[in-house]
Amino acid sequence: MRILVADDEPIEREALRVLVQRNMPEAQVVGEAGTGAQAIALTEQLHPDVVFMDIEMPGLSGLQALREIRQRCPDTRCVVVSAYDYFHFAREALRLGVVDYLLKPVKRDEMLAVLRRLADDIAAHRGRRQQELQQQEQLQQLRPLAEAQLVQLMVAGAPEDQINSLLQVLGLKFQAGFCMVAGIAEQPGQEAREAEAAAAGDPRQAYLYLRSLAHSLCTCAVGAWEDSRTVLMVELNAPVDEYETRIWSSDLAQRLRDLVKGKTGIRFRVGIGRYFSGISEAPRSYKEALNAFRFEGLSHRVTHYGDLVGQEGNGWRPTPAVLRAVERGKEYIREHFREDVALEQVAREVCLTPYYFSKVFSRVTGETLMDYLTRVRVEEAKRLLADPNISIKEACYQVGYNDPNYFSRVFKKVTGQTPTEFRNRLA
C-alpha cells in the first residue's frame, strides 16, 4: 500500500511515517506534502493508494486539495485528519468521498486500525481486479471460438435463444446488421491465383489481420476461416437507410480489402448482403453475400448484392435493369451538367454504389462517366459559341466550368481546337 502524507506540521508527517515503518511492512510512505498544492502535484506524480490529508494547511485548504485529487485521481482513497470536530468539515469531506475522518491527536491503535482496514480493502480490490483481468483475458482467448459459433448459428437460422446467449457473452445485439463474405474467390485461373497468393503471403495470416482490422473499424462477429473464406456479421444501429448502408458497407469492405492487400499481399474478394433487421433475417443476408462473392462480374474486388438486382445468372451482362440505370444516369448528367456533378450524385440517383455504377457505365457506354459529362458540356459549348453574342467566358460558365483557361484546354482536348479557333471557323 502506497501512502502520501499531507500535513503542514513536519512532526505529524514523521509520526505517521514511523508508525507505518514499524507496524505495516506491507505499506510505504512514498511522499510528504506540506501544502495543498504539493499534495495535488505529488498525487499525480506518485499515484499513491491512500492520501492522509490535514484540513488546515497554508494556501489551498485540505478540502480544496482533496477536491482536485478526487477529480484527477478518482481511484486514490483519501483520509481526512483534522484538529477540528466541525460538522460542516465532516459533511464536505464525506461529500468528496473520503473513506474516514480522524480527529487529532489520533491514537496509535486508531490509526493502525484505519491503515489495516485500508490495506485489506486495497488488497481485496486488487484481487477482484486481477480476477476481472484474467476473465477478460480468457474471454479474449475464447472470443474467436464464440464468434465463429455465433456466425455459424446466425447463418444457419438457429433458434434465437441459442443466438441470444452468445450475443450476451460477446456484448452484441444485432437488432440490425449485414453479412460479408471475404476470401479468395474460386474463378477461372484459380491455380495461377493460388500460386500468386502463395508467393505474396499466407492467406491464414491475412485472415487474422482481416479479423483484427474488422474489429477496429466496426462492431462485428468474424467467423472461422474455411474454404479459403470467412463470414463477417456486421452490427448496425437501427433504424437503417438501405442506400446509405450499401454505400457504407461497400466502403468498409473496400478499406478492409485494401489494407489486407497492403499488409500481406493477399487479394481478397468481398461479397456483401443487404442489411437485415432482426437476426431471423441473417440467413438471407448471408446467401446474398455468398452470391455476391461468387459473382463473376465487372470486378473481382467488392460486390454488393443490392447492385446485382436484375442481373441474370452468375455473370455480368447489360440486362434491361442495368441499361435503364445507365440511361437514367446519362439523363441526370444532361439535366445537371451545368452544376458541379460528381460520380456519387449520379450513382445515388440510379441507386447503385459509385464504384459499381462507374464500372457499369463504362462497360455499357465505352467511356467513363466523367468523359461523358465532359462531352455533354463541350457539345453545349459548341452550340453556345455558334452565337456571336455569347462570349467565350460566358459560354464557359454556362456549361459548368469556373475557369476559362481550364475550359479552353478541355475544349481543345475534345475538339482539337480552342474555343476561339472553333468560333473563327464558323465565321
Side-chain angles (χ1 to χ4, degrees), residues 300-370:
H300 300 308
R301 297 180 181 178
V302 172
T303 304
H304 195 290
Y305 183 83
D307 287 335
L308 302 181
V309 176
Q311 289 292 330
E312 300 173 356
N314 192 39
W316 185 87
R317 54 182 55 82
T319 62
V322 169
L323 294 175
R324 281 195 302 271
V326 171
E327 286 304 316
R328 280 164 50 206
K330 292 168 69 174
E331 181 181 355
Y332 181 88
I333 290 173
R334 291 193 297 269
E335 292 175 353
H336 298 270
F337 70 88
R338 295 178 178 84
E339 304 167 12
D340 187 14
V341 178
L343 169 63
E344 290 74 16
Q345 294 171 270
V346 187
R348 177 181 289 275
E349 183 69 17
V350 302
C351 204
L352 293 175
T353 57
Y355 177 78
Y356 188 77
F357 180 65
S358 175
K359 294 287 185 180
V360 164
F361 191 93
S362 297
R363 181 69 66 90
V364 171
T365 66
E367 61 183 336
T368 68
L369 185 141
M370 290 298 108

Side-chain angles (χ1 to χ4, degrees), residues 77-323:
R77 293 162 174 79
C78 299
V79 177
V80 167
V81 182
S82 175
Y84 303 98
D85 187 12
Y86 294 155
F87 173 73
H88 67 277
F89 280 166
R91 181 179 61 186
E92 180 63 13
L94 291 173
R95 193 183 68 82
L96 292 172
V98 301
V99 297
D100 217 327
Y101 190 100
L102 304 178
L103 289 175
K104 293 181 179 181
V106 184
K107 295 180 180 179
R108 174 181 175 279
D109 291 343
E110 183 183 8
M111 179 62 78
L112 284 174
V114 171
L115 287 168
R116 286 171 179 148
R117 176 166 56 82
L118 287 169
D120 291 343
D121 181 59
I122 291 169
H125 175 76
R126 287 176 177 167
R128 289 192 299 271
R129 180 58 180 159
Q130 183 65 28
Q131 186 178 14
E132 290 173 0
L133 292 174
Q134 291 175 351
Q135 290 174 346
Q136 290 177 8
E137 183 178 358
Q138 291 172 355
L139 178 60
Q140 290 304 314
Q141 293 173 349
L142 295 174
R143 189 176 183 93
L145 297 177
E147 286 187 23
Q149 185 179 3
L150 172 64
V151 170
Q152 186 177 25
L153 292 174
M154 292 181 71
V155 163
E160 291 196 12
D161 58 341
Q162 296 181 26
I163 295 175
N164 287 333
S165 62
L166 279 172
L167 290 177
Q168 186 174 5
V169 169
L170 294 169
L172 300 171
K173 295 180 180 178
F174 276 109
Q175 296 176 350
F178 63 88
C179 180
M180 289 197 298
V181 175
I184 302 171
E186 297 178 0
Q187 296 174 344
Q190 178 69 8
E191 292 184 2
R193 261 184 293 279
E194 287 178 350
E196 180 186 3
D202 180 3
R204 175 73 184 180
Q205 292 301 316
Y207 156 73
L208 294 176
Y209 184 57
L210 171 70
R211 174 188 171 80
S212 174
L213 281 174
H215 282 297
S216 68
L217 296 176
C218 62
T219 302
C220 63
V222 183
W225 179 254
E226 297 177 342
D227 299 327
S228 297
R229 62 176 181 258
T230 186
V231 178
L232 296 84
M233 288 291 179
V234 181
E235 185 177 277
L236 295 171
N237 294 324
V240 176
D241 177 271
E242 193 279 331
Y243 185 75
E244 290 296 333
T245 300
R246 201 188 322 168
I247 297 294
W248 181 81
S249 60
S250 297
D251 289 345
L252 171 65
Q254 189 67 56
R255 187 176 182 191
L256 288 171
R257 181 190 181 279
D258 290 346
L259 289 171
V260 169
K261 178 178 176 293
K263 178 77 172 181
T264 68
I266 298 295
R267 291 179 172 88
F268 275 172
R269 172 168 172 73
V270 185
I272 311 168
R274 292 176 297 180
Y275 84 90
F276 57 83
S277 55
I279 54 178
S280 63
E281 297 182 11
R284 183 262 303 159
S285 184
Y286 165 69
K287 291 176 183 177
E288 294 173 349
L290 189 58
N291 286 337
F293 175 79
R294 291 171 172 167
F295 185 77
E296 297 177 11
L298 299 175
S299 169
H300 300 308
R301 297 180 181 178
V302 172
T303 304
H304 195 290
Y305 183 83
D307 287 335
L308 302 181
V309 176
Q311 289 292 330
E312 300 173 356
N314 192 39
W316 185 87
R317 54 182 55 82
T319 62
V322 169
L323 294 175

